[in-house]
Amino acid sequence: MKNKKFLCLIVFVLLGKIAVHAEEGLSLDSTQAILIDTTTDQVLFNKGADEKMLPSSMTKILTMYLIFEELKAGRLKMEDLFVVSEKAWRKQGSKMFVKVGEQVKVEDLIRGVIVQSGNDASIVLAEGISGSEEAFATQMTHKARELGANNSNFMNATGWPDENHYSTPRDLACIAKKTIENFPEYYPFYKEMAFVYGGIRQMNRNPLLYTMPECDGLKTGSTEEGGYGLVASAVQQGRRLIMVINGASSKKERAKDAETLMRWGFAYFISPLLFKASESVQKADVWLGNRPTVEMAVEQDVYVTLPRHESKNLKMEVKYHSPIAAPIKAGQRLGTLIIKLPQNKEREIPLVATNAVEKIGFIARIKAAFYYLLFGHN
């Protein structure tokens, strides 16, 4: 057999120029931040994303994850009623303003948590599901680990300050992403702008809902020690970004940082589709097969995320042994597509046979071998 064959493909993406600053020049008031492109799960911006922080009311995205899970499993219904305990009623901070002893529909409590950021509503749900807020908090930590948020620990359903209640921007982004992916039927609650309960109208505190039509969630939070934070997500032309910021000095700075970072992510980066699932990337020669060649294809859609101005430097290389010996099964791994990204980063993607190739019979093999000796190929 011949040595490995190297085929280089160069992709040129024609894009308009855009005047934006690179990450180093992006100034945020927030002490921590992360921005992720969910198309490729690539981190676009990282500022202390793995450092522990007080998650404040951003905790409630995990509280709601557990509620959504109960609803999806059929163990809970929107019209179910939960009784408001004295503990829930007395809880300070942001409120839905439920009354002790009152029976409240789950659907109203969900809006009370998401739109109004009600600590009281969070406790009512936690107690209704697990019997106590403490038991529910234990479930929250277990669920966080299950989702891949391994650097978090939860002591309550509200985000109320506790030295053992902590998370990281990366973990909150992970929980947000799983919420969006796993509960598309319930996620629209996060985009609701206002909710009226008991004659009290409260507006959603997420500032991006008012300044970016592309934004569809998720949750604000603030504590005196930890500052102001936000978990947010937005979609532009089918491309979703998830952002977490924390430690902003005020609501105004939180809103400014959130919009700056989100708009920067959409403007500075692109995530083009290079190949569709099952699309042929390269044709390879076959040795002793009933077909002279076989198509090699990717199994899944292939996207990359990179700065717009570096798109012209994107290169791809196909590696495989040539010729490929028959028999070949459809779906058999034949080679590797290597995508060469800026800053010397690479991605390797398997290439598989699009169709089967049978091995030719004995006489035909003798003829092919003789032909190969004379001409160097079959």
Side-chain angles (χ1 to χ4, degrees), residues 31-34 45-53 168-170:
T31 57
Q32 293 174 270
I34 191 170
F45 186 90
N46 182 336
K47 183 181 180 182
D50 295 303
E51 296 173 9
K52 285 184 182 179
M53 66 179 223
T168 68
R170 192 186 299 273

Side-chain angles (χ1 to χ4, degrees), residues 312-332:
K312 63 181 179 296
N313 298 320
L314 177 64
K315 295 182 180 181
M316 293 181 287
E317 185 178 25
V318 176
K319 289 186 178 180
Y320 65 98
H321 288 284
S322 180
I324 299 172
I328 299 169
K329 296 180 180 179
Q332 179 180 327

